[in-house]
Amino acid sequence: MPSDYKKLERYARTFATQFRAFNPASPVLCLKCFYAFAAELDSAACEHLGAKCPEFYDALVHFVTIDHPLDYDGRIAISMRLLLCQGATTCTLCSALPVRSLPIRSDETPFNTLFDICCQLLSRGLIPYFDGNTSVMSTKIYRKPFRRGAWPSTPEQLLPHGPEETVGQLVRMSSVMHSGPVVLLAAMLQRYRKPVLEEILNPKHDNLLLRRVEGALEEASELASAALRAHNSRADLSSLSPTPASDTAVVKALERHIVFPQLLHVISFGVDFDSHDLGRFAFRYEARLYRTILSVLAHFHSPTAWVYGLPAVAMSLYSRLKAADRHDPPNFIREAALASKRRTEDVYALLADHLPVVIEKRACSGPGCGKQFHESANGKPFAKCGRCKALYYCSKECQRKDWSLKPGEPHKVICDILCEVLTIVSADTMFTTSSTDIARAWRDAALPEERARRLTVWMLGDKAERLPTAYAELLTDSIGQTPSPRTFEDCRTKEEMLQFIEKAAGCRYPPGSRIVMVPAEDVGKSSEPTEFLPLWSDHEDTGIAQVETADGRRFPGKFFLKVVPPGSPNL
């Protein structure tokens, strides 16, 4: 890489002008020079350009999000014009940049290659130390997604046409490009999760990204099978079983497909993730995606050899499957279920597993708020609790409500426990230490078990110390034999409540849907009374005390239940 960053800035500004003026009918862009320039940009250079030449990234975002043709003939036509331009024009940069041959592949058009490279550069601009060819995507936590003096400094720079159109165009392009749009979407999720994820899940896209990921994993399974056979043949092994040595060969064969499991991992466990995000992404396709992931992992001796987080994605999907799809899981699923059982029996291990996730959350912790940090009215990050320094609040009002919350766990109590817990193991140390060592530190410091348990109940609610049904049935060889609640009051968790309502309504609701109670007199005022379910009661007994109320207050008398999908208002 040239040591003089000033040269890189000049080149970047030249290319910014060309991409801004890109015209599919007569493109003016020297592909050789641009590819040579892109090859010079390491992580440090990308970070430097983000600070000194943000217009370069602005131009790339403009290029990848304008309305390009999705049909093959259209992309071939642009490719031909790019190649004709390459031979017909004299580029002022050719003498300054090293000469490189054009990376033309037989399985994609030159335009596809150009588009993918632009997406790769943008992803590095968003996450400077992200390398699309490694098995782990950076999970750096940015206190602010947009900051002055670095790209992107405003939401408009990242989403120039608004979330719907910008993300929508990338989702559409993912269906015809190899991996560039997928890499970029994964990086965008790490910086600006909520608006990007909501548009990925937009029903108008008809699960385009999900189907692209599923198709790519099917291709990866075929490539893995061929690589495993070839390796075992060279090693004179009669068996086709994977070995530690074969894992290296299979990983190499899947280099170009690594971005797809990375995207699944970011959706499932990325910065600011919600436990329902993967379920929403794979809604109604859980079993298909689960089987496709297993078809790839079956070719590895170690399930974590390709992408470390992929087995965890499979485990998360397994817990959401119907009983008929849960039979005969691979060993790593059984081992995960057993490890989960041990954690639920050890409150310190359970706390060590989940507290780092809670501390990473940058959303407001105010009761019923959930405002994301990028929704800050003044553009600044939310303030932390001055005592525990673990939770964020968007306003003093939210903090006051949480301090004396009723019913529930008031922060006045939780704050005191958090202070004790984080004095033993600091928040920074928590992200560099194994959960086993963290749990041991709390146990050795004689952290009272009842205080640790209260903290887990605050974090997990009705899931605290309760093994998922899918895991419990797997460990007891009783898959599908757990009796369903006969009445709504028999339901012990919100998941069971939702399943009970789904059975009564004859439909499925997206994961993360909430159940709210609505006064009977308000049901008649609704323009859509069919949204309310005929499950009502004269009083709030213990079986339904954990269900939310529509307006945040408790009330006597008859009520109906309503299911509110994620992101929707109560009424």
Side-chain angles (χ1 to χ4, degrees), residues 536-541 544 555-559:
W536 57 267
S537 174
D538 289 321
H539 60 284
E540 300 172 31
D541 60 16
I544 52 177
F555 48 83
K558 295 181 179 179
F559 60 86

Side-chain angles (χ1 to χ4, degrees), residues 442-464:
W442 287 329
R443 194 179 293 108
D444 292 346
L447 173 69
E449 186 173 334
E450 63 275 13
R451 287 170 70 79
R453 180 168 289 106
R454 188 161 188 179
L455 202 55
T456 60
V457 170
W458 165 73
M459 290 189 301
L460 303 176
D462 54 30
K463 295 180 181 178

Side-chain angles (χ1 to χ4, degrees), residues 467-527:
L467 197 64
T469 300
Y471 284 3
E473 291 185 345
L474 175 62
L475 295 175
T476 56
D477 293 322
S478 59
I479 294 176
Q481 297 178 25
T482 300
S484 301
R486 291 182 296 176
T487 67
F488 187 74
E489 286 75 11
D490 291 339
C491 298
R492 293 179 296 167
T493 68
K494 291 180 181 177
E495 282 76 10
E496 287 183 353
M497 292 177 183
L498 188 60
Q499 291 168 6
F500 187 88
I501 293 174
E502 285 178 338
K503 187 175 181 180
C507 67
R508 282 192 67 190
Y509 295 100
S513 296
R514 295 160 35 236
I515 306 170
V516 297
M517 297 191 297
V518 183
E521 58 268 23
D522 290 349
V523 173
K525 303 174 185 177
S526 172
S527 58

Side-chain angles (χ1 to χ4, degrees), residues 12-49:
R13 292 190 178 96
T14 299
F15 288 122
T17 301
Q18 294 177 357
F19 277 108
R20 274 290 183 191
F22 187 85
N23 182 352
S26 56
V28 179
L29 178 69
C30 179
L31 293 180
K32 284 185 179 180
C33 281
F34 181 68
Y35 293 157
F37 171 74
E40 299 289 308
L41 299 181
D42 61 9
S43 297
C46 286
E47 197 165 24
H48 176 84
L49 289 180

Side-chain angles (χ1 to χ4, degrees), residues 199-418:
E199 290 308 323
I200 286 175
L201 300 176
N202 193 322
K204 69 184 290 185
H205 298 316
D206 193 28
N207 294 307
L208 270 178
L209 191 59
L210 171 62
R211 288 189 280 142
R212 177 67 184 103
V213 171
E214 184 184 6
L217 291 177
E218 289 173 352
E219 295 170 10
S221 180
E222 295 175 3
L223 290 172
S225 179
L228 180 60
R229 286 197 304 270
H231 177 271
N232 285 358
S233 176
R234 288 193 297 271
D236 293 327
L237 296 176
S238 57
S239 170
L240 289 179
S241 299
T243 64
S246 70
D247 280 359
T248 302
V250 176
V251 167
K252 184 174 180 57
L254 302 185
E255 280 180 353
R256 293 191 75 222
H257 289 71
I258 199 169
V259 298
F260 300 99
Q262 281 178 339
L263 175 68
L264 288 177
H265 188 251
V266 169
I267 288 174
S268 307
F269 309 109
V271 178
D272 288 332
F273 81 95
D274 184 274
S275 60
H276 300 292
D277 287 346
L278 177 63
R280 293 179 64 196
F281 179 70
F283 186 45
R284 296 192 177 98
Y285 290 83
E286 299 93 339
R288 282 175 49 175
L289 184 58
Y290 168 75
R291 288 192 295 269
T292 305
I293 292 174
L294 292 194
S295 72
V296 181
L297 296 182
H299 299 96
F300 288 96
H301 179 267
S302 169
T304 58
W306 186 29
V307 173
Y308 183 81
L310 190 57
V313 175
M315 290 178 240
S316 182
L317 288 169
Y318 180 82
S319 66
R320 303 172 187 274
L321 298 180
K322 295 179 180 178
D325 298 310
R326 285 193 264 118
H327 292 281
D328 301 320
N331 283 334
F332 76 84
I333 296 283
R334 292 182 178 275
E335 291 169 0
L338 185 58
S340 183
K341 182 176 184 294
R342 290 172 181 154
R343 285 194 297 272
T344 58
E345 295 170 346
D346 181 347
V347 68
Y348 300 104
L350 192 65
L351 183 60
D353 240 19
H354 293 278
L355 187 57
V357 177
V358 172
I359 292 176
E360 277 186 337
K361 295 280 187 182
R362 299 169 294 178
C364 176
S365 297
C369 180
K371 185 180 291 185
Q372 297 294 315
F373 73 112
H374 57 262
E375 298 176 82
S376 171
N378 57 11
K380 297 180 179 179
F382 295 151
K384 283 185 176 180
C385 170
R387 187 159 179 253
C388 67
K389 294 180 172 58
L391 303 186
Y392 290 95
Y393 294 98
C394 69
S395 65
K396 290 183 178 179
E397 179 64 21
C398 274
Q399 186 172 16
R400 279 195 295 267
K401 286 182 180 179
D402 200 28
W403 185 256
S404 56
L405 180 67
K406 292 180 182 179
E409 295 288 348
H411 189 60
K412 182 177 182 179
V413 174
I414 297 303
C415 187
D416 185 59
I417 302 175
L418 281 172

Side-chain angles (χ1 to χ4, degrees), residues 24 27 71-84 109:
D71 64 289
Y72 182 75
D73 290 342
R75 285 177 284 123
I76 282 289
I78 297 179
S79 298
M80 293 299 296
R81 295 186 191 108
L82 281 168
L83 294 177
L84 289 172
T109 69

